[in-house]
């Protein structure tokens, strides 16, 4: 079993920055699939924010390109999301996700509990 623990959320003014951290624990080997961040605003569906492969390839939602940067430390099983130039529409609960591939070919998704990000205008 893998546990994902997010931290770094909070209240920030528009134009400010926050850095989210998600650490995976509970397994003897590293997260070998994509890690990423999703978010869910009140009354809206959960949406993808950014992903990063084990090799460092990244994808971003159009709404955050140029403002958010995802990175990971494979040795620490940790993924980060640096969020700059925050806007009120970035207000949401941010969830970390990790994909684990098992030796025989199956895979599992794991989710964190979420961390609240609130951007005041």
């Amino acid at each position: 079993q893998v546990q994902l623990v997010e931290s770094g959320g909070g209240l920030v003014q528009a134009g400010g920055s926050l850095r989210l951290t998600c650490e995976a624990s509970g397994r003897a080997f590293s997260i070998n699939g994509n890690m990423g961040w999703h978010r869910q605003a009140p009354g809206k569906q959960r949406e993808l924010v950014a992903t990063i492969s084990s090799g460092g390839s990244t994808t971003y939602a159009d709404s955050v390109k140029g403002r958010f940067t995802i990175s990971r430390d494979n040795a620490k099983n940790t993924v980060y999301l640096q969020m700059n130039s925050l806007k009120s529409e970035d207000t949401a609960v941010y969830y970390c996700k990790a994909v684990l591939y098992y030796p025989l070919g199956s895979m599992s998704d794991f989710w964190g509990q979420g961390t609240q990000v609130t951007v005041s205008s």
Side-chain angles (χ1 to χ4, degrees), residues 1 10 21 35 43 48-50 63 77 98 101 105 115 121:
Q1 190 70 11
T21 298
M35 298 185 79
L48 173 69
V49 176
S63 59
N77 276 338
Y101 293 95
T115 185
S121 56

Side-chain angles (χ1 to χ4, degrees), residues 36-69:
W37 293 92
H38 293 65
R39 67 186 181 187
Q40 187 167 17
K44 296 187 177 181
Q45 290 188 331
R46 191 173 297 189
E47 64 176 359
L48 173 69
V49 176
T51 65
I52 184 167
S53 71
S54 57
S57 297
T58 59
T59 62
Y60 295 94
D62 287 343
S63 59
V64 307
K65 282 180 181 177
R67 300 187 297 121
F68 292 9
T69 302

Side-chain angles (χ1 to χ4, degrees), residues 3-98:
Q3 293 83 43
L4 300 179
V5 178
E6 302 109 331
S7 61
L11 174 64
V12 64
Q13 288 188 333
S17 299
L18 283 174
R19 189 192 195 207
L20 304 183
T21 298
C22 172
E23 183 175 2
S25 63
R27 297 289 298 191
F29 45 87
S30 299
I31 298 296
N32 52 14
N34 284 2
M35 298 185 79
W37 293 92
H38 293 65
R39 67 186 181 187
Q40 187 167 17
K44 296 187 177 181
Q45 290 188 331
R46 191 173 297 189
E47 64 176 359
L48 173 69
V49 176
T51 65
I52 184 167
S53 71
S54 57
S57 297
T58 59
T59 62
Y60 295 94
D62 287 343
S63 59
V64 307
K65 282 180 181 177
R67 300 187 297 121
F68 292 9
T69 302
I70 189 170
S71 60
R72 70 188 280 176
D73 184 332
N74 290 329
K76 296 181 178 180
N77 276 338
T78 299
V79 64
Y80 308 94
L81 186 68
Q82 177 66 42
M83 304 185 294
N84 298 328
S85 302
L86 283 160
K87 305 175 181 179
S88 57
E89 51 262 45
D90 295 318
T91 295
V93 178
Y94 283 70
Y95 297 91
C96 176
K97 177 184 175 182

